[in-house]
Amino acid sequence: MTLFSVEHLAFISGLLGNIISFFVFLAPMPTFYTIWKRKSSEGFQALPYSVAFFSASLLLYYAFLKTGAYMIITINGIGCFIETVYLLIYVVYAPKKSKLFTMGLILIFNVGGLGLVMAVSLLAFHGAKRVSLVGWICCILNLAVFAAPFSIMRRVIKTKSVEYMPFTLSLFLTLCATMWFFYGFFINDYYIAFPNILGFLFGIAQMILYFVYKNAKLEVDPSKDIEKNLSLEEAKDVEMVPN
């Protein structure tokens, strides 16, 4: 008699995935504390949060279609709320041009993109085919999101500085991808499991890069301090969406 059934393992993986993902969603809080303190979001980008909001919304829709996917519903419901708060703070303190751009991103992703996926899936597909369509879209989107830190890894190699890639965030993202891979594997949901393989590999690669370059000294051109600081904030804002 086995100590844990597949259902138990799926529950444990999903629960751990929820806990770790929650902390990943909270990772940008220092950025928004800075925005609140400065009363300005100038110099920061809204794109990562718009994409995260879209991804969480899409996964939430997928979970409702799938039925019984409570682990996916809980974390992505929380994620949608957190990303909404981030975007509201950003918009409140953004210059007019950035404010309009951010509202445009929300309209494109969450009104246009999500609305289109929902309309096509509800009107043109039924039953398992509907779930499969939305699952594939979630899978492709998550693959694209997981590949986003490649630009940060390239920057680390180019600058020989791990300032742009905090180790703690890389570790949490790796653990997050691992938990959601096993959750998807145990419940036979490969739309969840497959993209997290890439997330795990990128996470391991980031941690290897960290240990390779953590003691490297970066020569800074004083004339480029402002550009460097801006790039650092942008790099820290690039987040991979949990599951």
Side-chain angles (χ1 to χ4, degrees):
M1 183 176 179
T2 56
L3 183 61
F4 295 106
S5 66
V6 173
E7 290 77 15
H8 288 143
L9 292 172
F11 176 79
I12 293 170
S13 299
L15 181 61
L16 290 173
N18 268 256
I19 294 169
I20 297 170
S21 296
F22 177 70
F23 286 107
V24 172
F25 275 123
L26 293 181
M29 283 187 68
T31 293
F32 286 91
Y33 175 74
T34 300
I35 290 173
W36 172 79
K37 192 173 181 180
R38 288 187 351 186
K39 307 301 181 190
S40 173
S41 56
E42 190 172 4
F44 297 92
Q45 294 185 352
L47 182 60
Y49 313 105
S50 301
V51 173
F53 185 30
F54 175 51
S55 179
S57 301
L58 195 57
L59 281 162
L60 193 60
Y61 176 54
Y62 169 71
F64 278 116
L65 290 179
K66 185 178 173 64
T67 68
Y70 302 114
M71 291 295 181
I72 302 175
I73 290 174
T74 52
I75 189 56
N76 286 289
I78 293 170
C80 284
F81 173 76
I82 292 173
E83 297 300 335
T84 300
V85 173
Y86 287 159
L87 287 167
L88 283 173
I89 294 172
Y90 185 92
V91 168
V92 167
Y93 294 112
K96 185 177 180 180
K97 186 176 180 180
S98 297
K99 196 187 300 280
L100 293 174
F101 179 73
T102 303
M103 296 302 296
L105 288 176
I106 296 172
L107 286 173
I108 291 170
F109 288 123
N110 282 85
V111 178
L114 183 61
L116 180 62
V117 171
M118 292 179 69
V120 172
S121 62
L122 291 172
L123 296 175
F125 293 84
H126 303 279
K129 290 184 177 180
R130 178 181 296 162
V131 176
S132 181
L133 171 70
V134 179
W136 272 114
I137 294 172
C138 288
C139 182
I140 293 169
L141 177 62
N142 280 342
L143 284 172
V145 171
F146 277 131
F150 181 76
S151 62
I152 305 303
M153 294 166 66
R154 185 173 57 183
R155 191 187 300 243
V156 169
I157 295 171
K158 184 178 179 180
T159 63
K160 295 181 173 57
S161 170
V162 295
E163 279 187 294
Y164 303 96
M165 192 176 65
F167 177 79
T168 305
L169 182 58
S170 297
L171 175 62
F172 268 84
L173 290 169
T174 305
L175 292 173
C176 185
T178 303
M179 291 302 103
W180 286 113
F181 165 76
F182 280 114
Y183 174 77
F185 176 78
F186 287 132
I187 66 170
N188 294 317
D189 189 334
Y190 300 109
Y191 304 119
I192 296 296
F194 180 66
N196 283 288
I197 296 174
L198 184 64
F200 172 79
L201 293 175
F202 269 110
I204 293 296
Q206 286 181 39
M207 289 190 289
I208 291 172
L209 276 179
Y210 180 88
F211 285 110
V212 169
Y213 291 109
K214 70 173 183 175
N215 295 320
K217 292 183 179 180
L218 176 64
E219 294 184 4
V220 180
D221 182 350
S223 66
K224 295 184 178 180
D225 274 350
I226 296 177
E227 179 182 349
K228 173 181 173 290
N229 291 333
L230 177 57
S231 297
L232 173 56
E233 294 298 344
E234 291 175 350
K236 287 181 178 179
D237 284 348
V238 175
E239 58 179 292
M240 293 184 289
V241 183
N243 76 53

